[in-house]
Amino acid sequence: MIRPAVPEDAAGIAAIWNPIIRDTIVTFTTAEKTEDELRAAIATQPFIVAASDDGIEGFTTCFQFRKGPGYAHTMEHTILLTPAARGHGLGRALMDAICEAARGAGAHSLFAGVSGENSAGIAFHAAIGFSEAARLSQVGWKFGRWHDLVLMQKFL
């Protein structure tokens, strides 16, 4: 079931997000998410989960792309799924929901910041109507080396 996140989903979201932060280059951050941080985020920005009887299988959220009033209508999103949830349409369903939430919040376009090494993430976003807007060379540092960031954009 795709639904808005509630504070009680924070542990399930952290269980998906933190191994990706810790073990992959899908995100360049190294700071793991705490349940308190996630509860606060759920209270202040759109957060949507894919939930089943087994728990949270994926989530998405969006937030203003850059600070300042000139960027108020441009948002960026995050989407992550458990490995077992991939390939079953949950990613598309989550993206439909977050695009609708962003549109409802007044967004004109939505960005995805995808690691240049994440070919599956780039292909996924291309398949749902995002196009590459920019490739920023060597802007992410993780695991002792530089990584490119691909910015992909979809007009809502």
Side-chain angles (χ1 to χ4, degrees):
M1 168 179 30
I2 305 298
R3 61 168 174 76
V6 296
E8 294 78 19
D9 294 326
I13 293 168
I16 294 169
W17 211 336
N18 286 334
I20 291 170
I21 290 170
R22 196 172 40 247
D23 303 330
T24 77
I25 51 82
V26 168
T27 179
F28 301 152
T29 189
T30 57
E32 293 188 29
K33 305 294 182 182
T34 68
E35 290 181 35
D36 286 341
E37 287 172 324
L38 291 169
R39 279 190 287 277
I42 289 167
T44 61
Q45 66 194 60
F47 244 98
I48 299 167
V49 295
S52 72
D53 291 340
D54 296 329
I56 303 302
E57 296 184 31
F59 73 91
T60 185
T61 186
C62 65
F63 41 89
Q64 190 169 318
F65 177 66
R66 296 184 73 182
K67 293 187 187 303
Y71 294 100
H73 301 286
T74 303
M75 300 187 92
E76 182 177 352
H77 78 279
T78 295
I79 180 169
L80 296 170
L81 302 173
T82 65
R86 295 178 192 145
H88 303 288
L90 286 179
R92 285 177 182 265
L94 283 167
M95 285 305 302
D96 286 346
I98 204 66
C99 284
E100 187 59 35
R103 196 177 292 112
H108 172 66
S109 70
L110 188 61
F111 271 93
V114 185
S115 168
E117 295 179 34
N118 183 359
S119 57
I122 292 169
F124 169 74
H125 283 89
I128 60 170
F130 282 75
S131 58
E132 187 171 323
R135 182 176 288 263
L136 308 176
S137 298
Q138 299 182 17
V139 296
W141 177 261
K142 192 170 184 181
F143 301 139
R145 59 192 174 92
W146 292 106
H147 304 275
D148 294 352
L149 178 68
V150 178
L151 291 178
M152 300 185 75
Q153 182 179 26
K154 181 175 184 175
F155 290 98
L156 303 173

